[in-house]
């Protein structure tokens, strides 16, 4: 049978805009918005613990995109709230956002994350191992977080993450000549592909030593995609994306149940014929 087929699965609705790190007492007077995502996360987990999760033998916190970042930022915190003898691990899908300049040379992503952290009062909910050394805004980037995470973590990411290409590398309006390429990698010119290969290099460098931990799982394929765990067609179907002979679900299952480790990085685009584009 497939792994996880008979698990209790809970989907937490994402609503706060800061990967559940916001914690401000004051309410925005112009919008009546409450920046309290960290309190929402804590309340949801406490509710689940009271409903039986406090007896869990196995637990996996996962998410995609902002939820993937949540799984990184809250990984150790989640582990600490579960029973001491439980098998607890974390899966980040498309949540490894990297801090690189955009094609114009601007620090677009860093400025954006700085604004998120300032708006939501997130600093107090980011690991002090990072915020004691670096500005809180850059502690929102996983490359500055993952070295300190103690709980086993699996990073599932496309090396050419389509969201990051469209919002970090080539933000809207930065260069009209990129319009076709940023939506469809098959429309990229040779020069644009060189830039994307450079982005892949930067992505792998940002992953860096985080992959060397024995408990760390890694599935980095050369797809132009964002989020690869949420639909059955991509997660676990005959034609799902694969590295070697292992589909995503196989790799995560082997890692979670410690049947074998999994740390694989794909060769550069366009070598992978198993990709889904989204």
């Amino acid at each position: 049978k497939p792994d996880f087929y008979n698990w209790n699965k809970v989907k937490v609705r994402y609503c706060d805009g800061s990967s559940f790190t916001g914690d401000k007492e004051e309410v925005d007077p112009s919008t009546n918005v409450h920046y309290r995502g960290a309190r929402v996360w804590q309340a949801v987990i406490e509710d689940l613990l009271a409903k039986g999760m406090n007896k869990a033998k196995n637990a996996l916190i996962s998410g995609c995109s902002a939820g993937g970042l949540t799984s990184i930022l809250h990984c150790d915190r989640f582990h600490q709230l579960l029973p001491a003898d439980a098998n607890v691990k974390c899966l980040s899908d498309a949540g490894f956002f990297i801090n690189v300049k955009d094609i114009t040379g601007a620090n677009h992503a860093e400025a954006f994350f700085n604004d998120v952290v300032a708006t939501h009062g997130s600093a107090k909910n980011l690991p002090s191992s990072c915020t004691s050394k670096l500005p809180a805004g850059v502690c929102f980037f996983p490359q500055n977080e993952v070295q300190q995470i103690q709980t086993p973590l699996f990073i599932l990411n496309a090396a050419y993450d389509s969201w990051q290409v469209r919002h970090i590398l080539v933000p809207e309006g930065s260069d009209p000549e990129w319009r076709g390429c940023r939506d469809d990698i098959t429309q990229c010119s040779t020069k644009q592909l060189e830039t994307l290969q450079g982005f892949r290099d930067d992505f792998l460098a940002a992953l860096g030593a985080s992959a060397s931990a024995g408990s760390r799982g890694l599935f980095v394929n050369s797809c132009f995609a964002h989020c690869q765990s949420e639909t059955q067609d991509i997660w676990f179907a005959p034609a799902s994306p694969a590295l070697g002979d292992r589909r995503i679900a196989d790799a995560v299952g082997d890692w979670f149940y410690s049947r074998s480790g999994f740390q694989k990085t794909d060769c550069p685009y366009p070598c992978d014929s198993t990709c889904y584009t989204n």
Side-chain angles (χ1 to χ4, degrees):
K1 295 187 177 73
D3 295 310
F4 316 113
Y5 82 99
N6 60 349
W7 279 41
N8 294 306
K9 183 178 177 182
V10 178
K11 187 157 188 172
V12 180
R13 197 179 290 269
Y14 179 60
C15 60
D16 85 309
S18 72
S19 291
F20 295 107
T21 60
D23 191 359
K24 270 192 173 175
E25 197 60 48
E26 62 272 21
V27 178
D28 188 316
S30 59
T31 60
N32 201 35
V33 170
H34 297 59
Y35 297 107
R36 298 176 186 170
R39 302 186 200 181
V40 171
W41 185 87
Q42 186 71 27
V44 168
I45 298 298
E46 286 177 5
D47 183 55
L48 293 173
L49 289 167
K51 287 174 174 168
M53 196 167 74
N54 63 331
K55 297 183 180 68
K57 298 281 192 294
N58 293 289
L60 178 65
I61 183 171
S62 70
C64 139
S65 197
L69 180 56
T70 299
S71 298
I72 291 172
L73 296 175
H74 288 282
C75 182
D76 283 340
R77 205 172 286 134
F78 178 72
H79 193 181
Q80 288 156 9
L81 291 168
L82 272 288
D85 60 348
N87 180 25
V88 182
K89 298 186 179 182
C90 313
L91 166 63
S92 170
D93 176 11
F96 204 95
F97 302 102
I98 65 170
N99 186 9
V100 292
K101 292 178 174 162
D102 66 23
I103 55 169
T104 71
N107 290 315
H108 178 79
E110 187 173 313
F112 178 76
F113 275 6
N114 265 321
D115 287 347
V116 169
V117 168
T119 299
H120 290 261
S122 298
K124 68 191 87 157
N125 290 308
L126 298 171
S128 59
S129 56
C130 181
T131 55
S132 61
K133 294 182 252 176
L134 295 169
V138 296
C139 290
F140 220 64
F141 289 99
Q143 65 204 73
N144 298 320
E145 296 275 358
V146 291
Q147 304 282 40
Q148 288 81 38
I149 293 173
Q150 302 297 310
T151 307
L153 168 67
F154 195 106
I155 297 167
L156 164 63
N157 230 102
Y160 310 87
D161 186 289
S162 54
W163 190 93
Q164 293 196 55
V165 169
R166 292 166 189 155
H167 297 275
I168 291 179
L169 182 65
V170 194
E172 188 73 49
S174 55
D175 185 346
E177 289 187 10
W178 274 80
R179 191 172 294 120
C181 174
R182 69 195 288 275
D183 289 334
D184 180 356
I185 197 169
T186 66
Q187 302 302 308
C188 297
S189 68
T190 303
K191 192 161 177 21
Q192 287 168 334
L193 276 178
E194 282 175 13
T195 301
L196 290 180
Q197 300 297 10
F199 178 83
R200 173 182 177 272
D201 292 342
D202 290 337
F203 182 82
L204 296 180
L207 273 178
S210 73
S212 64
S215 64
R216 197 67 35 98
L218 200 64
F219 189 111
V220 178
N221 53 6
S222 287
C223 301
F224 188 68
H226 185 64
C227 295
Q228 300 182 92
S229 67
E230 293 195 316
T231 66
Q232 192 71 1
D233 283 350
I234 306 178
W235 169 253
F236 191 57
S240 289
L243 286 178
D245 63 346
R246 308 306 282 161
R247 292 168 293 179
I248 295 166
D250 297 321
V252 173
D254 287 347
W255 164 83
F256 184 86
Y257 286 108
S258 301
R259 292 190 294 258
S260 66
F262 193 93
Q263 294 187 352
K264 280 191 170 29
T265 300
D266 214 348
C267 48
Y269 175 86
C271 70
D272 194 333
S273 60
T274 69
C275 291
Y276 269 71
T277 302
N278 55 20

